[in-house]
Amino acid sequence: MRITDSYMSSNFINNLQSNLKNLSKVQNQLSSLKEVSKSSDDPMLVSEIMDLNDSIIQNKEYMNTIEDSIDFSNMQDTAYDAATKSMSRIRTLIQQAGTDTVNNEDRQLIKAEVEAEIQTLTDALNTNFGGKYVFSGMETTTKPFTFSTEKDPDGKVIGLTYAGTDNEGVSGNLTRRIAQGVQIELRTDGRKLLNEQGVNGEKDNLGTFLSDALSALEKGDVSALSGDLLARADKEIDNIVTQRAENGAIFNRLEASKERNTSENLNLESMRSDKQDIDLAEKFMEYTMEQTAYQASLAMGTKILSTSILDYI
């Protein structure tokens, strides 16, 4: 093969452009501190980085859901605590009224205090968090519990009623997705607090208990106050405590999920950094080498391109 001056010049220009391109690439990496700045730099690497970015964004969304659920659960715990205190106070008042040493006038005073405590209990069960009632089931904007001292056609106090999710066979618990393929149910079904059960063929729940307690106080029924109503009060208190314990278990699971999410996020960001971010010291050494190569090419070019016809005379 015949080597001509034009061939040598063409090769020199190509090599010079290649060295300049490599130098420019390293300069861009140093200025951006990123391995790639566009998909054409390394399509496979860019694809992996994009997948990691999507995972990090999704993970942060899960974290927002977890933190919101933790706050929601904390608000529920506060409501359970207030409800337990109110029920304990109602039980104490019923016990006081169920003794023969208390006259009917005093029982009416106790009845008034029980009514006030029931209203406090109702307020606790109607706790709202971020515009959502925490015990209304799926009907989060509907006030779940209502207390009324009015009487029905049978002469019984209406008492406590529930207006949240009441479709039979449908859970009133809200479901939250806290990780890929992982869901958790928040205990928002207020029917659990009503603790509805059958007694002697009749339905009994928190509402009927409170209604019966007010009726017994109004009539001065010492036997009911000191017997059946006290036992029912204990059951209702135990039910609220049980619901609170279940909520506590959910809270612990959410806290564990938060820690796991934080750890996963750190791992994902570390993986992205390994693929996306440059090693500054290593990249600077590479820059120095590319710069030396480029300068050497320029120096060689002065010898190749300086050749003229005079060199052959």
Side-chain angles (χ1 to χ4, degrees):
M1 177 179 178
R2 185 185 176 193
I3 306 299
T4 63
D5 289 338
S6 62
Y7 178 78
M8 292 176 62
S9 298
S10 177
N11 276 346
F12 163 72
I13 295 299
N14 289 336
N15 291 332
L16 183 65
Q17 287 296 323
S18 177
N19 290 338
L20 184 60
K21 181 180 178 181
N22 292 337
L23 180 62
S24 176
K25 177 182 177 181
V26 178
Q27 283 179 330
N28 287 335
Q29 290 173 332
L30 280 170
S31 61
S32 66
L33 300 179
K34 305 296 182 185
E35 282 288 345
V36 290
S37 56
K38 54 184 183 296
S39 58
S40 59
D41 291 340
D42 189 335
M44 185 64 71
L45 180 60
V46 170
S47 176
E48 291 176 359
I49 292 173
M50 290 177 65
D51 287 341
L52 286 170
N53 285 335
D54 290 341
S55 296
I56 289 172
I57 292 172
Q58 190 176 55
N59 219 43
K60 288 181 178 178
E61 291 176 355
Y62 287 141
M63 176 60 84
N64 291 336
T65 301
I66 290 170
E67 289 178 341
D68 181 71
S69 299
I70 287 175
D71 292 339
F72 191 94
S73 183
N74 272 329
M75 189 62 70
Q76 285 184 308
D77 187 72
T78 301
Y80 283 125
D81 182 60
T84 302
K85 289 178 180 177
S86 291
M87 282 300 302
S88 296
R89 179 58 183 164
I90 290 171
R91 184 194 184 285
T92 299
L93 292 170
I94 290 174
Q95 188 176 30
Q96 289 177 358
T99 61
D100 293 326
T101 57
V102 177
N103 57 42
N104 286 332
E105 185 177 346
D106 289 337
R107 284 194 184 90
Q108 297 314 304
L109 294 175
I110 292 175
K111 177 176 176 287
E113 187 175 350
V114 169
E115 288 178 351
E117 202 60 55
I118 293 175
Q119 189 60 62
T120 301
L121 170 66
T122 305
D123 292 340
L125 299 182
N126 285 331
T127 295
N128 188 292
F129 174 74
K132 299 178 180 179
Y133 290 101
V134 300
F135 296 123
S136 60
M138 299 293 184
E139 310 294 331
T140 55
T141 58
T142 301
K143 191 176 182 178
F145 292 94
T146 303
F147 171 66
S148 175
T149 57
E150 296 181 5
K151 296 183 179 179
D152 60 19
D154 296 329
K156 288 189 65 176
V157 175
I158 294 175
L160 192 70
T161 55
Y162 181 66
T165 300
D166 59 358
N167 296 335
E168 189 173 350
V170 176
S171 172
N173 293 329
L174 293 179
T175 301
R176 300 285 179 85
R177 186 181 295 277
I178 59 174
Q180 186 68 35
V182 180
Q183 293 182 335
I184 193 169
E185 282 193 358
L186 300 178
R187 295 293 187 268
T188 56
D189 194 338
R191 290 173 294 185
K192 296 292 184 179
L193 288 165
L194 278 178
N195 192 29
E196 191 161 297
Q197 51 194 311
V199 178
N200 297 326
E202 297 183 1
K203 288 186 176 180
D204 183 35
N205 57 35
L206 178 60
T208 56
F209 158 71
L210 295 173
S211 176
D212 291 345
L214 291 174
S215 297
L217 286 168
E218 184 176 357
K219 298 174 183 177
D221 190 344
V222 176
S223 177
L225 289 169
S226 61
D228 178 57
L229 288 172
L230 273 182
R232 289 167 68 186
D234 289 334
K235 288 182 180 179
E236 299 302 336
I237 292 172
D238 288 343
N239 178 60
I240 294 175
V241 171
T242 298
Q243 298 303 316
R244 186 179 184 183
E246 291 181 2
N247 183 68
I250 292 172
F251 176 84
N252 291 336
R253 184 181 174 191
L254 287 169
E255 285 286 348
S257 297
K258 182 179 179 180
E259 291 181 9
R260 185 167 57 253
N261 182 282
T262 301
S263 178
E264 288 177 358
N265 200 58
L266 288 173
N267 290 335
L268 287 170
E269 292 195 358
S270 177
M271 292 170 62
R272 181 179 65 176
S273 178
D274 289 342
K275 295 180 179 296
Q276 178 176 269
D277 299 338
I278 64 171
D279 183 321
L280 195 57
E282 180 181 336
K283 194 60 63 175
F284 189 78
M285 289 177 61
E286 186 180 347
Y287 170 75
T288 302
M289 293 172 62
E290 293 294 346
Q291 188 178 45
T292 301
Y294 177 65
Q295 289 174 346
S297 296
L298 287 176
M300 184 58 63
T302 60
K303 296 184 179 297
I304 295 174
L305 298 179
S306 64
T307 304
S308 69
I309 192 170
L310 294 176
D311 295 310
Y312 298 96
I313 297 176

